[in-house]
Amino acid sequence: MADETMLAITEAVRAGDRERLTALWTPDGDPLHRCTVAHHLADLCEHPAESLAWNVRALDAAGRLTDERLRAHHDGLRVRGFYPSLHLNLAEDYRRLGAIDAARRHLEEARARLDALADDAYGTTVRTGIENVERAIRE
């Protein structure tokens, strides 16, 4: 059975439609839906404080997500695989806001969870992102 909400989220993401994504946000809904919507809304924010708020929501939703729920959506997904990217996104938001200590803490959290990622394009993207944020902090 298709998850109509995930289909709607996917369509809104592909269209870059912030209004549709915002309409799909429910603070007490399915954690997978909340995590996915918040993660993608953060990407559409121009201001890092607004992005940070959505990324915190995504991390909070991930904390309520179960592997069982993820397997119902896609058998290859596990919650632990979400955390490197979620912490990377928070690190970048904090860096952009000038909160360097917070950025470093989230980079440490992301690095500590890299074993959850496969050696594939997604894993490479996250690892490269961590390196880029670390470099930006040094500069």
Side-chain angles (χ1 to χ4, degrees):
M1 179 167 60
D3 181 334
E4 296 300 322
T5 302
M6 286 303 289
L7 292 173
I9 292 168
T10 300
E11 290 174 12
V13 168
R14 284 187 181 141
D17 191 332
R18 186 175 176 163
E19 282 185 37
R20 281 174 41 199
L21 276 173
T22 302
L24 292 165
W25 169 255
T26 55
D28 298 317
D30 180 328
L32 176 59
H33 299 158
R34 290 184 3 216
C35 185
T36 306
V37 168
H39 172 74
H40 288 290
L41 278 170
D43 289 344
L44 296 174
C45 295
E46 290 183 26
H47 195 280
E50 187 179 7
S51 177
L52 175 65
W54 284 112
N55 278 318
V56 167
R57 290 177 185 120
L59 183 64
D60 178 64
R64 290 167 171 70
L65 193 52
T66 65
D67 284 338
E68 180 181 16
R69 171 61 182 104
L70 279 176
R71 280 191 301 272
H73 174 67
H74 185 284
D75 190 52
L77 295 176
R78 299 295 178 269
V79 177
R80 61 195 244 26
F82 284 31
Y83 285 100
S85 175
L86 293 171
H87 283 289
L88 168 60
N89 292 343
L90 286 163
E92 174 62 4
D93 291 335
Y94 281 119
R95 183 199 67 80
R96 290 175 59 206
L97 290 166
I100 301 305
D101 289 340
R104 285 187 178 121
R105 281 193 303 274
H106 282 284
L107 284 174
E108 289 173 19
E109 293 291 336
R111 277 203 175 281
R113 291 167 168 82
L114 284 175
D115 65 330
L117 299 179
D119 190 18
D120 59 8
Y122 176 73
T124 298
T125 298
V126 173
R127 287 179 184 89
T128 301
I130 290 170
E131 291 169 9
N132 291 341
V133 174
E134 286 175 337
R135 184 173 30 262
I137 287 173
R138 284 191 306 270
E139 296 170 356

